[in-house]
Each structure stands twice: as C-alpha cells, then as structure tokens.
Amino acid sequence: MSKDHEEHKKSALQELDMAGWTKAHWRAVLVAGSGFLTDSYDNFVIGLMVTMIGYVYFPYNKNAVPTYESSWLKAASSWGNLVGQFFFGVMGDVFGRKKMYGVELIILMIGAVGSALAAQPVRGLGIAGVLGFWRFILGVGVGGDYPVSGVITSEFASVKSRGTMIALVFAMQGVGIILGTIVAIISLVSYKDLVLTDQANLDYVWRCMAGFGVVPAMCAVYYRLTIPETPRFAMDVEGDVVKGAAAARQYLAGQTKEVIVVTEKKERKSYATGFREYFGKWRNARTLIACALCWFFLDIGYYGTNLNTPSILQFFGYAAPSTATAYEKVWTLATGTAIVNLAGNFPGYFFTVAFVDRWGRKPIQFMGFAILTLCFLFLGLFYNQLKTEATAGFVALYCAAQFFFNFGPNQTTFIIPAEAFPTHVRSTAHGISAATGKLGAIIAAQLFDPISKNPVLGVEGTVFLLYIFSGCCAVGFLLTFWVPETNGKSLEELAEDY
C-alpha cells in the first residue's frame, strides 16, 4: 500500500474511532438491535409455547408434551442457530458484511411464518416434528444475525463507545424476551373465553406468538439490505482504501446509500490462507478457544434456565393449583415468567450498557461468572428448603442469577469476539465463538427435561442440574483469564496485539 493510501486510511479510521455519539450511531444500533429483538423473541418464546402445545395436542399425557418431543422443540432453533452462526460468520469474511446483512432476517421470517402455520399430520412426524423443522429454519436466520450484527456494529463504532454500542444492540435481546411474555399475555387474554370453553383453543394463542416474530423483522430488513459495506472491510480485506474512506465519512454524515468508487485494489489474500496464518499462531488460537469455551459454558446455564423458566417455576411451587383450568395455569406461568424477566433479565442488560466502557469487559465477565457460580450452588444446596418453605427466596435468587447473566458473561461473550480479532477473520471468529456457545445451549435444551425428571447419582434431577450450572460458570470464570481486555483500544491496536 502506498504511503498516501496508508495516510488516507489512518485518517478515515481515526475519524471513526474519535467520533462522538451521533445519529449515525443510533441508526446502526436500531438497525442491528431490531434484529436482535426479533432473535430473542423467537428463541425464548418457545418455553411458553411448549406448555400450551401440551394442552392442545397431548391431553392424554397429562397435558404435557412428552419429554423427548419437548426437548427437540426447545433445541430445534438452537441447532439452527449453530448452523447459521458458523455459516454466516464465514460468509461475512468471504463476501463481506453487506452481502450477508438482511439475508438472515429473510430466512428468520420464513421460519416464523412456517412455525405459525405448522400442522399436525394425520400420520408421520407429528406436531413436534413439523414445528421443530420450521424452528430449525428460523434458528438459522437467528444464528446468522449474531456474527454479522456484532461485527458490523463493532466496525462502525468509536473507540470510547464501542462496548456501549455493541452492548445496546445485544440488550435488545432483553426487550425481545419481555415482548415475548407480553405477546403471550395479550394473546391469552384475547382468547380467554374460547380457552375456558375448550383448552384446545390454546392452539390460537401459541400460533399468534409464533407468527408475531415476523413483525419486528419486517421493520428492519429493508435497512439491513441497504446498509453500506463497513469501511474496515473495504480497506483491510477488499483493499479499496478510497471506497472505505468514503464509506466512513458517508456513515458519519448519516447517509445510507452504498458508496460506488472505482479504484485500483490491492491483491486480496485468500480467505483460507489468512485464516490459517492467523490462527496457526498459538496465542491467537488460544484467544479464540477461550472466547468460544466461555460462551459454551455460559450457554449451558443461560439456556438451561431461560428456555425452561415455566418448568423451573413449577418445580419450586410457583404454579396454579392442580384443580385450576388450563387458562389459569398458563396465565400463572406467563405472568411468572414476565416477573422473572422484568426483575432479573431486563435490567441486567442495561447495567452492562452503563458500565462496559467504564469497567472494561473482563471485570464484568469475572464478576458475573463468580456470582452465578454461587447462586446456582446455593439453589442446589438449599433446594428442598427453598421449595417448601421459602418460594420467595427462590424467586429472588433466580432473578439475581438472571440479572448477573446479563450484567455479566451473556453480554461480554458477545462483545469481546467482535473486537479481539483482525478484520479478515473477525466475523468467522465471532461465528465460531457463537456456534460453540450454541452447542452448550443445545446440550442444555436436550438434556434439561430428561435429567430434571429423574434422580442422578442419588441426587434429585433438578438439584443435579443446578450443580452442573454452577460448575459450568466456575469453568467460565477460569477461562476468562485467557480472554483479552479490549476496552479503550482501537480495532487496529487489538489486531496488532494479537
């Protein structure tokens, strides 16, 4: 690269890195965040949907979806997430961020519509098989959003507010979780008379919940398809410094059309060669392994609890009496889930937004893993006492755990991989980290129901799971020592460090 081009590049990146918070940054947060709202809505609404499906299709099984069908329904979107995260992560580095952005939301919308219209065949797979298929498709779209949104937000952000900006995007996950319970409650109230007449009318309720996931996605897809390529990808990977510099200034000016500049580009190194050369060094590979495994051990606990909040509430006695109607039982679980999410999940996200650029990423991750280890250990040790004598104490501890998931590693494991790697492998590294995390979510989703209902090693199944969650968080705490602190450094400085 010529000296003039190098100076041009440094000047453009400095403008991005030193920029104050502008309308352009808010636009980027809203475009990326609206997708994350949709992602979390679709991922976590399944817990309440499965409860309703039990009343509709499995009255002969005590109104509950059989264990393995329930596990598949809860895990199907996570299997799709894993595929989407890895595929779109790699494609984001091969073809660019722009070409992938919006495609994942289109896939998500197809999956959401298919889920809402899923039918019960007379013969064959059954509702769990058909709905699970569409949940898998939906999950591919959700998964694709993780690396692309994370990396685009990181590459457009300034140094001093990059953590806040990425955290705000991810915090929309909390809004999506709350939205899921609100839609469930509104749908339930709307069909109250029909459900009280016949519990099979809960079929309308869960289908409304499944179909609503299309709405926020439709609001975001146009803006994603028209977003310009990130300046860093244009400069570092495509070798087009003039185009990248123009895109940086255009972004800060609040313009959204693609910059078209015809210039001479440097020869681009092949993706595979760049990947091998970078991760062939142990220090770089170790950072990726640490980011991926921290996310893996986090998601075992996070998805193990969040996908099963209605079930966990029932274990600890927060449920309508056995003589209650189907409507009353579902209402109790829906409102209980809303309370837990509002008291724990939701505020945790925004505490991270407030402190991530003040404290740094690692202190928040260390703190979260440490407190979660203790919360789950305490819940396991005093399970019977909390269940029979102190339900309020359980709810408080459970809400505390949800709070420190999000004022902790659930946010930072998303933020750090979007910053810690150079441009030519950043999307791939984020995708690998996210996909590894989703493997943990799959393990939690598939094994929660079978383990929770049977003793393990002489210990009640639910207690055993709580100990597992505690142990996973302890391992995540130790692995955090291998994770780099990214706060206060430009993406170029971080690339040079590693």
Side-chain angles (χ1 to χ4, degrees), residues 31-45 49 76-78 80-81 84-85 87-88 100-117 131-147 149 172-173 176 179 209-221 224-225 303:
V31 171
S34 59
F36 260 89
L37 182 153
T38 307
D39 296 347
S40 65
Y41 175 90
D42 286 316
N43 261 343
F44 294 107
V45 78
M49 283 172 55
S77 67
S78 292
N81 291 169
Q85 285 161 343
F87 177 78
F88 279 90
M100 296 295 106
Y101 216 33
V103 175
E104 80 288 2
L105 277 190
I106 293 171
I107 295 172
L108 183 156
M109 289 191 289
I110 293 169
V113 171
S115 296
L117 300 177
L131 178 58
F133 168 79
W134 287 112
R135 292 280 302 171
F136 174 85
I137 299 299
L138 178 150
V140 172
V142 169
D145 202 23
Y146 276 66
S149 283
M172 296 305 288
Q173 187 180 80
L179 181 62
M209 293 164 64
F212 186 83
V214 174
V215 176
M218 289 177 65
C219 297
V221 69
R224 290 194 169 196
L225 290 172
Y303 279 80

Side-chain angles (χ1 to χ4, degrees), residues 39 58 61 102-103 120 126 200 213 244 275 296 331 334 342 357 420 445 460 481:
D39 296 347
F58 301 96
N61 193 50
V103 175
Q120 165 87 303
F275 182 89
F296 172 82
W331 171 264
L342 282 169
D357 281 320
E460 192 168 341
F481 284 102

Side-chain angles (χ1 to χ4, degrees), residues 160-177:
K160 65 181 180 181
S161 61
R162 189 176 60 234
T164 301
M165 194 167 166
I166 302 172
L168 264 175
V169 169
F170 198 71
M172 296 305 288
Q173 187 180 80
V175 178
I177 291 172

Side-chain angles (χ1 to χ4, degrees), residues 42 99 116 158 192 257 275 314 317 364 381-382 397 416 465 488 492-493:
D42 286 316
K99 290 180 181 178
S158 65
K192 179 178 179 179
K257 289 185 179 179
F275 182 89
Q314 291 182 77
I364 292 175
L381 289 173
F382 298 99
L397 268 174
I416 294 171
L465 282 171
E492 286 65 42
E493 289 174 314

Side-chain angles (χ1 to χ4, degrees), residues 209-246:
M209 293 164 64
F212 186 83
V214 174
V215 176
M218 289 177 65
C219 297
V221 69
Y222 169 77
Y223 296 99
R224 290 194 169 196
L225 290 172
T226 56
I227 197 169
E229 184 56 84
T230 70
R232 285 181 162 92
F233 186 85
M235 295 179 187
D236 295 339
V237 180
E238 294 180 330
D240 197 333
V241 174
V242 176
K243 176 183 174 181

Side-chain angles (χ1 to χ4, degrees), residues 153-397:
T153 306
S154 175
E155 292 178 354
F156 275 126
S158 65
V159 172
K160 65 181 180 181
S161 61
R162 189 176 60 234
T164 301
M165 194 167 166
I166 302 172
L168 264 175
V169 169
F170 198 71
M172 296 305 288
Q173 187 180 80
V175 178
I177 291 172
I178 297 297
L179 181 62
T181 55
I182 291 173
V183 172
I185 290 169
I186 292 173
S187 301
L188 196 58
V189 170
S190 300
Y191 288 98
K192 179 178 179 179
D193 292 338
L194 287 175
V195 174
L196 287 173
T197 302
D198 182 355
Q199 69 182 38
N201 286 315
L202 283 168
D203 204 45
Y204 293 113
V205 180
W206 75 258
R207 290 180 187 278
C208 287
M209 293 164 64
F212 186 83
V214 174
V215 176
M218 289 177 65
C219 297
V221 69
Y222 169 77
Y223 296 99
R224 290 194 169 196
L225 290 172
T226 56
I227 197 169
E229 184 56 84
T230 70
R232 285 181 162 92
F233 186 85
M235 295 179 187
D236 295 339
V237 180
E238 294 180 330
D240 197 333
V241 174
V242 176
K243 176 183 174 181
R249 296 188 177 102
Q250 178 196 36
Y251 164 75
L252 292 174
Q255 300 171 20
T256 56
K257 289 185 179 179
E258 175 74 281
V259 178
I260 300 175
V261 181
V262 180
T263 64
E264 184 178 343
K265 301 180 183 180
K266 72 175 183 180
E267 185 178 348
R268 178 177 174 181
K269 182 185 294 186
S270 77
Y271 166 78
T273 299
F275 182 89
R276 283 196 305 269
E277 287 180 357
Y278 184 77
F279 289 112
K281 298 175 182 177
W282 166 242
R283 188 184 183 191
N284 301 333
R286 185 186 69 181
T287 300
L288 178 58
I289 291 168
C291 288
L293 289 181
C294 281
W295 208 332
F296 172 82
F297 286 108
L298 158 76
D299 272 4
I300 289 177
Y302 184 70
Y303 279 80
T305 53
N306 275 273
L307 289 178
N308 296 286
T309 293
S311 299
I312 292 170
L313 289 172
Q314 291 182 77
F315 291 154
F316 281 87
Y318 188 90
S322 57
T323 55
T325 64
Y327 177 88
E328 291 167 335
K329 291 178 180 178
V330 175
W331 171 264
T332 300
L333 292 177
T335 53
T337 302
I339 291 167
V340 167
N341 288 331
L342 282 169
N345 257 318
F346 189 73
Y349 286 101
F350 291 95
F351 268 73
T352 298
V353 170
F355 290 101
V356 70
D357 281 320
R358 300 181 190 181
W359 293 3
R361 288 53 157 160
K362 286 183 72 170
I364 292 175
Q365 185 157 309
F366 272 127
M367 175 190 69
F369 272 134
I371 294 175
L372 287 165
T373 300
L374 296 175
C375 279
F376 286 121
L377 181 62
F378 193 90
L379 283 168
L381 289 173
F382 298 99
Y383 174 80
N384 288 317
Q385 294 93 318
L386 290 168
K387 183 176 180 178
T388 57
E389 302 170 17
T391 302
F394 155 72
V395 173
L397 268 174

